[in-house]
Amino acid sequence: MTHTDIDFDPDLDRLERLSNGVLDLIAAVRLAEGGQYCEALRRDFPDQHDWMERTAMLHEARGETALAIANFEKCITFIRENPDGFDPECEEWYRQKIAGLKARMG
């Protein structure tokens, strides 16, 4: 199979690059730039959950726990509204993440 045999979706490629880019920027502690990527995800891909999850991760990296929790909760709502695109374990992962953040808050 050659690359011409595969349907290339430039939007999907951009979504993946932005989404993974947020993770890279968080790891590099370039949080302002990560925020710009999150905003681009929200603006350009509002029907995908990536922007919610990556925004939650960014807030967590900034120490903004309540905002991180709120965005992880948005992910759960999104999964419930779009169950066909997710494994049952996804919602549980977000629930555990939220519980861990709440425990850190005291």
Side-chain angles (χ1 to χ4, degrees):
M1 179 184 308
T2 67
H3 73 285
T4 55
D5 296 327
I6 301 170
D7 288 332
F8 177 73
D9 185 342
D11 286 336
L12 185 59
D13 182 58
R14 183 162 187 273
L15 169 66
E16 188 173 322
R17 282 185 288 116
L18 284 170
S19 188
N20 291 335
V22 174
L23 298 177
D24 294 340
L25 291 167
I26 289 171
V29 195
R30 293 169 45 195
L31 304 182
E33 196 173 347
Q36 293 171 354
Y37 275 51
C38 287
E39 178 55 28
L41 283 167
R42 185 198 61 76
R43 180 189 63 237
D44 298 344
F45 301 98
D47 59 336
Q48 300 295 317
H49 83 290
D50 293 61
W51 71 268
M52 296 170 231
E53 181 177 342
R54 298 309 190 230
T55 300
M57 293 173 166
L58 182 68
H59 285 302
E60 183 179 7
R62 289 179 174 158
E64 301 166 342
T65 306
L67 292 171
I69 290 168
N71 277 280
F72 282 128
E73 288 172 341
K74 286 180 186 179
C75 292
I76 291 172
T77 300
F78 186 88
I79 288 170
R80 288 181 178 170
E81 292 173 355
N82 302 280
D84 292 338
F86 298 92
D87 294 328
E89 298 82 25
C90 287
E91 184 175 335
E92 183 57 30
W93 185 88
Y94 290 118
R95 290 193 172 291
Q96 290 177 5
K97 187 72 177 167
I98 290 167
L101 290 168
K102 286 182 177 180
R104 277 197 261 162
M105 289 178 70

